[in-house]
Amino acid sequence: MQSSRALPYIALVIAVMAVSTSAILVKLTTAPAGIIAFYRLLFASLLLLPYFLLKCLPELKTFSKKEWIYSFASGLLLATHFILWFESLNYTSVASSVVLVTLQPLFSFAGTYFFFKESISFKAVMGVIVAIIGSVVISWGDLSVSVRALFGDLLALAACAMVTAFFLFGQHIRKTYSLTVYTFIVYSFSAVILFLYCLLLDYPFLEYPTSDWVYFLLLAIIPTLFGLSLFNWSLKWVSTNIVSVSILLEPVGAIILAYIILGETIILFQIIGGSIIVLGILMFVLDKKVNHPLKTES
């Protein structure tokens, strides 16, 4: 009995470790950001395809025109998110990029507040302010490193805004249909959009070393399918607040891996700013007046 109760928490730990690999795998590849994103989502879609064909086709028949439009919009936003985030890793450190992308719950709050008029408590607002202060500290520190690093920070923030819009567009479909149907349709749309994007920019599709193909496949399996699936599985047994808080550990895992694998150093501004951001988001997600669906797409 005790071991079965511990399983969701073990799954959360594994899920955090899985999504923490995302930025590292991107950094290890030599391909352009658009190509990395394309193969990540293409391989993820192909891995989902057999189960989708066997179990989920009946759901697809009930899709309305509006749901197809929303699915396409979600795919476009997800593709844009990956391009911006992966590109940010070419300019700034894993630490800064991943911590800034973790601001997603706060962008989500802004979207639901302005578009859906959801109420928010004073405690949650203070959490937002604290997290914003943390992001300013990181950006200030990166500016002292180089303007290039600051540009990477801005790309990461833009990527954060895109993934928030992705969740806002997709939440209706996700509530109505199974996770497999939702992810397969959106990932497939994203892959097609990214293919056209790479074609437009005349990126080569095949001329990459064997190591890059391994990283593309690992990106599809570990953070995209494995990590996200365990987060969603855990939601059946633990509260969304616990899952949301556990996602905050992703930057910690990514920073440790970046130090060990990539040899990246961490500056004082990143430690202080990252700590402030985590504190602010904790204040936000633990506020009981805020409704938090699971939102992670690392």
Side-chain angles (χ1 to χ4, degrees):
M1 180 68 72
Q2 292 298 322
S3 61
S4 63
R5 289 178 179 176
L7 279 177
Y9 297 96
I10 295 171
L12 284 178
V13 172
I14 296 172
V16 169
M17 293 170 62
V19 297
S20 297
T21 64
S22 184
I24 310 303
L25 292 169
V26 171
K27 277 275 197 179
L28 289 171
T29 61
T30 61
I35 289 290
I36 301 170
F38 166 65
Y39 280 118
R40 173 175 179 169
L41 290 170
L42 175 66
F43 289 160
S45 300
L46 292 175
L47 289 168
L48 286 170
L49 182 60
Y51 184 82
F52 174 81
L53 292 175
L54 287 172
K55 300 287 185 179
C56 304
L57 277 180
E59 287 186 70
L60 200 62
K61 297 175 182 178
T62 64
F63 261 51
S64 66
K65 182 180 178 181
K66 180 181 178 181
E67 286 164 340
W68 280 113
I69 293 172
Y70 272 51
S71 296
F72 177 79
S74 296
L76 177 61
L77 289 164
L78 182 61
T80 308
H81 158 71
F82 277 135
I83 290 170
L84 291 170
W85 184 36
F86 293 174
E87 200 66 58
S88 78
L89 290 165
N90 291 324
Y91 293 90
T92 192
S93 66
V94 168
S96 294
S97 181
V98 176
V99 168
L100 291 171
V101 167
T102 307
L103 284 166
Q104 187 269 323
L106 309 188
F107 279 85
S108 180
F109 150 69
T112 55
Y113 178 78
F114 288 109
F115 293 107
F116 302 109
K117 308 302 179 184
E118 288 189 8
S119 60
I120 194 75
S121 70
F122 175 76
K123 180 181 176 182
V125 170
M126 290 305 297
V128 172
I129 293 172
V130 169
I132 290 172
I133 292 171
S135 66
V136 170
V137 170
I138 287 178
S139 298
W140 186 267
D142 282 350
L143 180 59
S144 67
V145 174
S146 69
V147 175
R148 179 184 174 87
L150 179 62
F151 179 65
D153 292 349
L154 294 175
L155 287 175
L157 285 171
C160 187
M162 289 298 104
V163 78
T164 302
F166 158 73
F167 282 118
L168 290 176
F169 266 91
Q171 63 182 353
H172 168 70
I173 303 169
R174 178 63 190 94
K175 289 176 182 177
T176 310
Y177 297 94
S178 67
L179 177 65
T180 302
V181 167
Y182 171 68
T183 53
F184 177 78
I185 296 300
V186 172
Y187 288 176
S188 298
F189 272 134
S190 285
V192 171
I193 291 165
L194 287 163
F195 173 77
L196 296 175
Y197 171 81
C198 295
L199 205 61
L200 183 65
L201 294 183
D202 201 26
Y203 288 151
F205 284 92
L206 299 175
E207 294 80 11
Y208 299 102
T210 304
S211 58
D212 276 6
W213 293 100
V214 173
Y215 297 140
F216 297 155
L217 186 59
L218 289 177
L219 277 165
I221 296 172
I222 300 176
T224 309
L225 297 181
F226 195 52
L228 184 59
S229 297
L230 284 176
F231 276 130
N232 281 281
W233 179 82
S234 299
L235 274 175
K236 185 176 180 180
W237 314 102
V238 299
S239 72
T240 53
N241 278 339
I242 291 175
V243 175
S244 297
V245 171
S246 70
I247 293 170
L248 295 181
L249 296 174
E250 178 189 348
V252 178
I255 291 168
I256 292 171
L257 289 174
Y259 177 78
I260 296 171
I261 298 172
L262 304 176
E264 285 194 0
T265 57
I266 306 169
I267 65 173
L268 183 60
F269 279 102
Q270 291 170 334
I271 296 173
I272 296 172
S275 300
I276 293 172
I277 285 176
V278 170
L279 173 62
I281 298 177
L282 274 172
M283 291 171 63
F284 181 80
V285 300
L286 292 178
D287 185 80
K288 297 187 182 298
K289 294 184 181 179
V290 183
N291 181 30
H292 297 286
L294 173 61
K295 295 176 179 178
T296 180
E297 195 63 40
S298 298

